[in-house]
Amino acid sequence: MRIIAFYSPKGGVGKTAAAVNIAYLASQNNCQTLLWDLDPQGASSFYLAGAEPVKGRKLSKLLEGKSPMAKFIHDDVYPGLDFIPAHSSFRNFDIKLEQESGDNQLKKLLAPLSEETSLVVLDCPPTLSRLTEQVLNAADKVYVPLVPTWLSMNSWNQLYDFAKDKKLGAKKLRPFFSMVDRRKNLHRELVERGPELMANCTNVAVPYASVVERMGEEGLPLEKLAPNTPAAAAYRKLWQTIQKDLW
Ligand SMILES: Nc1ncnc2c1ncn2[C@@H]1O[C@H](COP(=O)(O)OP(=O)(O)OP(=O)(O)O)[C@@H](O)[C@H]1O
Ligand SMILES: [Mg+2]
């Protein structure tokens, strides 16, 4: 089982859109996937509202007794895609993690899933907190969406230094560009210079596209809503990059 996270301390940069699209693409690729919405505001749920319930394997049943999250798991929202929605019980997740000792609580919570799950996708809230440390600890790779501005570059450097200082595996961080508007000189320039400016920069730039905003309205991942768009192609490229990173 591999664990990836979509994280940025900045809000509204495309974490949830990427997490949902990647989780869906993975599940379509014969990769049994669990998407966990760790953000109490729960935006992932909007993007999956259009899913037809399918008869699942009842992962939740299998895990009863083994995992405290079992009862929160929605099995097979799409074939091969399980989902843990943001739940009020996770609202104080940070506090719970604070009370427990050790940096690997999140990892321990996920461990019972490993036989049945190939990939866990964590959709993180835009905070720099104890939860962030847990995520950085548990994840094999952390994908960080960046809108191409100098301020974003600055906050990327801060995040990288934070992870490095705390010995949280700065090397796990993988930036990619999000909401790219190629009409803007600065966007084009920064996308081009990404690999020079940032360690481990992926070669992915998700364009700014209204069709991504429509995912929320329609409750569908982009691959179902509009597969023949540049934005859908960018998420497919990101999924290919992730596969290369993980396996
Ligand atoms: N590539 C894109 N083009 C246009 N709109 C986008 C794109 N990606 C995301 N959006 C829109 O921007 C808003 C924020 O996106 P999203 O929820 O994915 O960001 P987030 O980083 O998860 O935000 P938060 O920090 O609040 O969790 C949403 O309305 C979404 O539809
Ligand atoms: Mg989000």
Side-chain angles (χ1 to χ4, degrees):
M1 183 175 78
R2 300 287 196 272
I3 302 171
I4 60 171
F6 286 88
Y7 170 72
S8 161
K10 280 184 163 313
V13 291
K15 297 180 288 295
T16 300
V20 170
N21 285 324
I22 294 304
Y24 181 77
L25 286 168
S27 71
Q28 293 286 296
N29 251 228
N30 281 329
C31 181
Q32 186 64 48
T33 303
L34 171 75
L35 173 65
W36 187 356
D37 186 351
L38 286 170
D39 188 342
Q41 296 193 30
S44 291
S45 312
F46 288 113
Y47 294 115
L48 294 172
E52 301 274 329
V54 289
K55 281 207 179 105
R57 320 150 282 132
K58 290 284 168 232
L59 175 64
S60 47
K61 282 271 172 296
L62 274 171
L63 284 170
E64 253 168 39
K66 274 202 226 171
S67 161
M69 303 116 62
K71 62 175 183 292
F72 301 119
I73 296 175
H74 293 210
D75 302 276
D76 284 313
V77 287
Y78 287 106
L81 178 57
D82 299 318
F83 178 48
I84 305 181
H87 191 276
S88 52
S89 69
F90 295 133
R91 196 165 293 148
N92 296 322
F93 201 50
D94 255 7
I95 300 164
K96 276 182 217 148
L97 292 174
E98 202 75 58
Q99 286 158 353
E100 313 252 349
S101 58
D103 276 341
N104 55 1
Q105 293 304 318
L106 186 60
K107 218 172 184 169
K108 277 193 201 156
L109 279 174
L110 290 167
L113 302 164
S114 63
E115 273 171 42
E116 286 284 317
T117 307
S118 305
L119 180 69
V120 177
V121 179
L122 303 171
D123 180 17
C124 302
T127 51
L128 196 55
S129 64
R130 183 102 171 93
L131 177 62
T132 316
E133 291 179 32
Q134 296 275 336
V135 166
L136 285 169
N137 187 293
D140 294 295
K141 291 278 184 288
V142 176
Y143 295 89
V144 183
L146 292 173
V147 181
T149 65
W150 287 111
L151 268 179
S152 303
M153 295 294 139
N154 202 24
S155 78
W156 158 261
N157 286 327
Q158 284 169 358
L159 173 63
Y160 189 86
D161 291 343
F162 168 84
K164 211 169 163 187
D165 287 350
K166 294 222 160 201
K167 300 205 170 23
L168 286 165
K171 284 187 194 129
K172 292 178 181 177
L173 296 171
R174 303 279 275 132
F176 69 96
F177 287 106
S178 180
M179 300 177 160
V180 175
D181 182 351
R182 291 202 171 266
R183 289 169 306 183
K184 293 183 178 162
N185 288 339
L186 181 62
H187 280 214
R188 286 200 310 274
E189 184 195 334
L190 289 178
V191 168
E192 203 169 299
R193 292 181 58 196
E196 160 206 337
L197 296 167
M198 293 178 293
N200 298 317
C201 188
T202 60
N203 187 16
V204 174
V206 178
Y208 188 91
S210 55
V211 74
V212 181
E213 286 173 306
R214 274 190 34 228
M215 284 174 56
E217 281 165 48
E218 310 280 340
L220 292 171
L222 207 51
E223 200 57 23
K224 276 191 93 74
L225 181 64
N228 299 319
T229 53
Y235 287 115
R236 287 193 294 268
K237 189 171 174 192
L238 181 57
W239 168 233
Q240 278 169 7
T241 305
I242 292 170
Q243 283 175 285
K244 279 192 208 125
D245 282 348
L246 293 180
W247 288 286

